[in-house]
Structure formats: C-alpha cells, structure tokens
C-alpha cells in the first residue's frame, strides 16, 4: 500500500506542478510583476498555503480548485481524486514557509508539505508555489519543484 501511495502522490504532484490548470498550463503569471511584498501580503500568501493544506486534509476538491487562479485540469482533478480515494484519513502539515519575489518579479512561496496518512505512512514533499493576486485575492498559479 505504501508504494502505491507514493506513486499516486508523486503523480498528483507532477500533475499539479506541470499541468494543474486548464488555462495557461505553464505560462507566466498574468499579473503585473512586483519587486517586493509587504508583511500583510506575505501573511496573506501564508494564509493561502494554510487554506491549501486544510482543503487537502478535508479532501475538498472544490475548495482546492477555488484556490487556483485558473480551473484545475481534468487530469489534475482525477489525480487528486485517486489520491484521496487511496488515503483513509489524511492530515496535511505545512512547514518551512518562505515567501519572496524572484528576480523576474514572480511571487513564489517555498514550503515543505507533509501528508500524515493514518495507519499507512507519512509523505514529505518540498514544493514551490507560484502565486498572483487576482481580483484582490492571492491565488495559486501553479506548483513546481524547487530549483
């Protein structure tokens, strides 16, 4: 069972990281690039990451989809469904959050995501989230592997 969970989790991450959104699959964020963030914006982005972890823990596909700037692709949605079907009780923890602006003006947050799966395993994934402000709220553009 553990090997199956690792495979599904890796597949889910690859789908969300590479092809998570139906629109603009690997495009750059659409917002005006920024040079720095104030503490309130940093806190809002950390709040977005917490919402993401909570939605994953609840296995709430609609909430996860709502956190993205563009609708999740069918492939990403199906990958999440498979992952959630394979884990009975899931608690997602986020740690080591760092929010910043890359040299190209893209806002990103790096973090460690740990999925505690009751009676099965613990999976830990390092991730980077590209975010942008849309209609006054921070949204996930895509996940990617940290460089």
């Amino acid at each position: 069972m553990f090997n199956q969970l690792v495979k599904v989790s890796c597949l889910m991450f690859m789908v969300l990281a590479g092809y998570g959104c139906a629109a603009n699959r690997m495009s750059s964020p659409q917002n005006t690039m920024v040079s720095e963030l104030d503490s309130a914006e940093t806190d809002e982005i950390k709040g977005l990451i917490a919402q993401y972890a909570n939605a994953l823990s609840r296995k709430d596909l609609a909430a996860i989809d709502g956190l993205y700037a563009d609708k999740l692709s069918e492939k990403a949605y199906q990958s999440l469904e498979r992952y959630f079907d394979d884990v009975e009780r899931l608690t997602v923890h986020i740690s080591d959050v760092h929010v910043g602006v890359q040299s190209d003006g893209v806002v990103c947050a790096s973090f460690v995501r740990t999925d505690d799966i009751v009676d099965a395993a613990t999976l830990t994934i390092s991730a980077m989230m590209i975010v942008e402000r849309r209609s006054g709220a921070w949204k996930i553009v895509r996940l990617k592997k940290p460089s």
Side-chain angles (χ1 to χ4, degrees):
M1 171 140 175
F2 177 73
N3 286 339
Q4 182 181 9
L5 288 174
V6 171
K7 288 177 186 172
V8 171
S9 181
C10 289
L11 172 65
M12 180 188 70
F13 182 77
M14 288 186 305
V15 168
L16 292 176
Y19 305 99
C21 299
N24 281 332
R25 287 216 158 104
M26 287 300 285
S27 65
S28 297
Q30 298 173 359
N31 66 338
T32 303
M33 301 304 167
V34 296
S35 59
E36 62 183 54
L37 298 168
D38 63 32
S39 62
E41 290 173 312
T42 299
D43 289 344
E44 288 174 27
I45 293 167
K46 288 180 178 179
L48 172 67
I49 297 167
Q51 290 174 28
Y52 172 72
N54 289 334
L56 286 167
S57 293
R58 293 189 320 270
K59 302 180 185 181
D60 187 341
L61 289 166
I64 294 166
D65 192 42
L67 296 174
Y68 276 80
D70 297 308
K71 186 169 177 51
L72 287 175
S73 70
E74 187 63 29
K75 186 175 181 179
Y77 196 90
Q78 289 172 354
S79 178
L80 281 168
E81 280 183 323
R82 279 194 309 274
Y83 182 63
F84 292 155
D85 287 346
D86 284 342
V87 296
E88 188 173 325
R89 289 181 287 169
L90 171 67
T91 304
V92 176
H93 303 279
I94 301 293
S95 61
D96 299 326
V97 178
H98 302 280
V99 178
V101 181
Q102 295 178 342
S103 60
D104 58 1
V106 173
V107 179
C108 62
S110 63
F111 56 91
V112 175
R113 173 181 147 193
T114 303
D115 292 12
D116 287 328
I117 303 160
V118 176
D119 299 330
T122 298
L123 304 173
T124 302
I125 302 167
S126 293
M128 182 173 287
M129 182 182 284
I130 306 298
V131 299
E132 69 178 32
R133 187 177 288 283
R134 292 230 185 136
S135 302
W138 288 101
K139 296 288 187 174
I140 301 167
V141 175
R142 69 178 177 269
L143 296 176
K144 69 178 207 169
K145 294 179 185 178
S147 16

